[in-house]
Every structure is written in structure tokens, then in C-alpha cells.
Amino acid sequence: MATTNVRKKIAIVAGGDSSEHDVSLRSAAGILSFIDKEKYDAEIVELHGADLQTLNRLVHYDYAYITIHGTPGENGLLQGYLDMMHIPYSCCGVLPAALTFNKYACNHYLKGFGVAIADSILLRRKDDLSGIEDRVEQELKLPCFIKSNVGGSSFGCTKVKTREQILPAIERAFEEGPEVICEAYMKGIEITCGVYKTAHKAVAFPITEVVTRREFFDYAAKYNGEVDEITPARIPDEIRDRVQALTLKIYDILGCHGIIRTDYILIENSASAGGYDIYLLEINTTPGMTATSFIPQQVRAAGLDIKDVLTDIIEG
């Protein structure tokens, strides 16, 4: 390990095996630009598949900042390796990473703690899909969303409006992974909230409101600028406080570490506190970290320096 007078060597681990490989490299470039160069010697380490040569290089670093979106950095596989090699890292451990990567399992687990979620149907490749159109129409109604259970950046996600679109959307989602979710459409305000904790403090960033000019917040909206990202969100203070408190509660329930970003839909309900019900969409344990990503936006809106936040994560 590094001595007191030697700067820590940080491996910013990026790449991975999923469709989000290139997105991950952009996040890695963002982290490299943000990190405190006076405290740390940092460089990007790109991982391709089960690349043992690259994995073995990680033992020469004091710390791994994981910014792989998708497998193996977001589902616990890389974390397990780093645990065995006694290399500290920036994000959730094996169990919370694996759980949050499986959207269906995570959301239904959190439902047991009182977190509201959309109705959904889980499909696996071996399942008999005969009659699935009737099941979707009866249990979820149309429109609905059909997406990969493990993918990110909206790869393989379709907003389905007609019965004829159901099977093609399922087939497209299966291209991203072995499980697919059919999920009820919820009309409301889409928001996202970033938080992190250290041994000494809990930080909830200002919330971002997501207003897309497309059918939904898909890849083009995320990365081609076809969206308005409003930070802080135009929501009542009471709802802001509830969302931030809920996100910190979820952080503790799951046993998270580092920065997480949790996405929600606010649905109007005059009988609820603040006039909205809060529905969980999904949790990101390695959120995007380009200069224009949600977390850096929220850090700036909070009046914080992203360099200091990353130092908190590394030293925390």
C-alpha cells in the first residue's frame, strides 16, 4: 500500500462487456478530469471481458474507482475479484451490486420495505411466450415498457403502444440479456436523486427533473441532447425532502457505498403528502460521470466541488 508521503495510485476501471462500454469510457474520462491530481496519481484501466492480464495489473494500484456500466463492474463480479485481492474500491460490494443490477429482484425486495414500484412481469429466455400479449394487456395495460432486466442506458428498451409491438420488443430486450421486464407505464414527473455517505456524513444532492422531447428517456435523449435536465427539480420542497430521505433510506437498506443515483416517477395524488406519490424506477450504483451527467450537475447545483466529492469517496 502507499506510504504516508506517496500519492495513492488510483485505477479508474472502465469498459466492460455490455452495450454501455463506450459510455463507461466517457465516464472514466470525466472522473480522470475531476480527480484531485495533487493527492492522487490516477489513470484509466480499460477492461475487456475476462481479461486476466488487465485484472492482474490492478494489484499495483492502491484503489479502484469502478466506472463500468453493466457487467462486470455493476453486477458484483469485479467487486468479488477486488475483495479477494484486498483492493479497496469506490462502489457497492458484491451483494448490493448484484441485487441492484437485477432491476426486478431489487425493486421487489425494496417493495417489502414500503417502497412503491410499478406492476411488472418477469420473463426468461426459456419461458413459453404463447399468450404473452394477453397477459401484458390484462395485467399491465398499454402502453407499457419492455426492457432488459440487467441493461442500462435504455439499450433494448421499448415503449410499447400496440399488441403487435409486444413480441418484437421482447425479442429486442432479450438481445441485451437473459431476462426481460414488461412494466406498467406510469405517467408523471421523472426525477433522479444522487446521494453518498461516509463514516461522518450523509450527502443528498439536489434533485434533477428529466423532461424529454422523445417518447421516453431513451439512449438518444440521454446522449444526443434531446432532453431538458432541470436541477434543482421544479417540485415542492416537501417532495424534495421525501425523495432525498427515501434515497438515503434505500442506500442503508441495500448496504451501498460510494455514490448511487436513484430514479423515480412522481405521480399526482392530492391525498398524498406534497401532492405526489413517489414510485421507484431503478438504482444506479455506478452512475454516469461525464461533465454533463446527472451527478456532476447535482454536485454543481449543491455548490460543491466534484473534486472534493471524489476525495470523500476515495478516503471514505
Side-chain angles (χ1 to χ4, degrees):
M1 295 293 291
T3 61
T4 304
N5 297 320
V6 177
R7 291 187 296 185
K8 285 183 179 178
K9 291 185 65 178
I10 309 293
I12 302 169
V13 189
D17 305 336
S18 76
S19 300
E20 296 182 273
H21 180 277
D22 292 346
V23 178
S24 167
L25 293 179
R26 295 202 291 271
S27 285
I31 292 169
L32 183 62
S33 71
F34 299 144
I35 208 163
D36 191 335
K37 308 300 191 302
E38 294 183 2
K39 292 184 178 180
Y40 309 111
D41 287 327
E43 62 182 6
I44 295 171
V45 177
E46 185 176 356
L47 186 64
H48 295 276
D51 181 356
L52 290 178
Q53 184 176 359
T54 302
L55 285 171
N56 289 336
R57 283 178 55 199
L58 296 178
V59 301
H60 301 294
Y61 293 89
D62 301 305
Y63 188 89
Y65 200 109
I66 299 174
T67 187
I68 293 176
H69 309 314
T71 187
E74 201 169 6
N75 59 357
L77 297 181
L78 179 58
Q79 288 87 336
Y81 172 83
L82 294 172
D83 284 341
M84 290 190 294
M85 302 304 291
H86 304 290
I87 302 169
Y89 50 87
S90 58
C91 58
C92 293
V94 174
L95 179 58
L99 181 57
T100 54
F101 192 65
N102 187 307
K103 299 180 181 74
Y104 186 89
C106 183
N107 285 12
H108 282 78
Y109 175 71
L110 290 171
K111 182 180 180 181
F113 291 86
V115 179
I117 63 171
D119 292 333
S120 60
I121 298 168
L122 178 66
L123 302 174
R124 296 186 173 95
R125 279 208 179 100
K126 62 180 176 58
D127 291 346
D128 180 3
L129 297 181
S130 59
I132 188 61
E133 296 95 337
D134 291 337
R135 189 178 174 195
V136 167
E137 287 187 312
Q138 291 167 12
E139 295 183 27
L140 305 180
K141 312 302 182 188
L142 294 178
C144 73
F145 284 104
I146 295 178
K147 59 188 179 181
S148 170
N149 192 30
V150 297
S153 294
S154 297
F155 285 110
C157 182
T158 305
K159 184 177 181 181
V160 171
K161 297 180 179 179
T162 67
R163 180 184 177 92
E164 292 72 29
Q165 293 174 326
I166 293 173
L167 273 177
I170 291 172
E171 291 169 1
R172 181 179 176 220
F174 270 131
E175 293 174 3
E176 296 295 322
E179 295 183 344
V180 166
I181 306 175
C182 306
E183 188 173 77
Y185 170 69
M186 296 183 292
K187 182 176 176 58
I189 301 170
E190 186 167 350
I191 60 170
T192 187
C193 178
V195 303
Y196 75 95
K197 288 190 174 186
T198 69
H200 308 291
K201 62 183 176 182
V203 179
F205 299 131
I207 294 165
T208 300
E209 178 183 349
V210 181
V211 183
T212 179
R213 294 181 285 279
R214 297 178 63 82
E215 282 286 350
F216 65 98
F217 191 44
D218 61 4
Y219 184 91
K222 284 180 169 76
Y223 302 111
N224 296 340
E226 298 181 43
V227 65
D228 293 321
E229 299 169 0
I230 303 163
T231 310
R234 301 167 299 181
I235 57 177
D237 291 350
E238 184 175 0
I239 292 298
R240 175 203 62 203
D241 294 345
R242 285 176 57 200
V243 168
Q244 289 176 330
L246 176 58
T247 308
L248 289 168
K249 175 185 175 183
I250 288 171
Y251 191 103
D252 289 339
I253 290 169
L254 297 174
C256 292
H257 180 69
I259 300 172
I260 72 166
R261 202 195 77 231
T262 304
D263 303 337
Y264 303 95
I265 288 281
L266 301 179
I267 298 178
E268 285 192 61
N269 183 352
S270 59
S272 294
Y276 292 93
D277 290 329
I278 304 167
Y279 280 80
L280 172 67
L281 290 177
E282 64 180 81
I283 298 161
N284 301 272
T285 58
T286 59
M289 290 292 283
T290 69
T292 58
S293 294
F294 288 125
I295 293 298
Q297 287 183 50
Q298 294 175 2
V299 169
R300 289 192 295 269
L304 301 173
D305 189 329
I306 188 68
K307 178 177 68 175
D308 296 333
V309 171
L310 293 185
T311 297
D312 270 354
I313 301 304
I314 295 168
E315 302 297 332

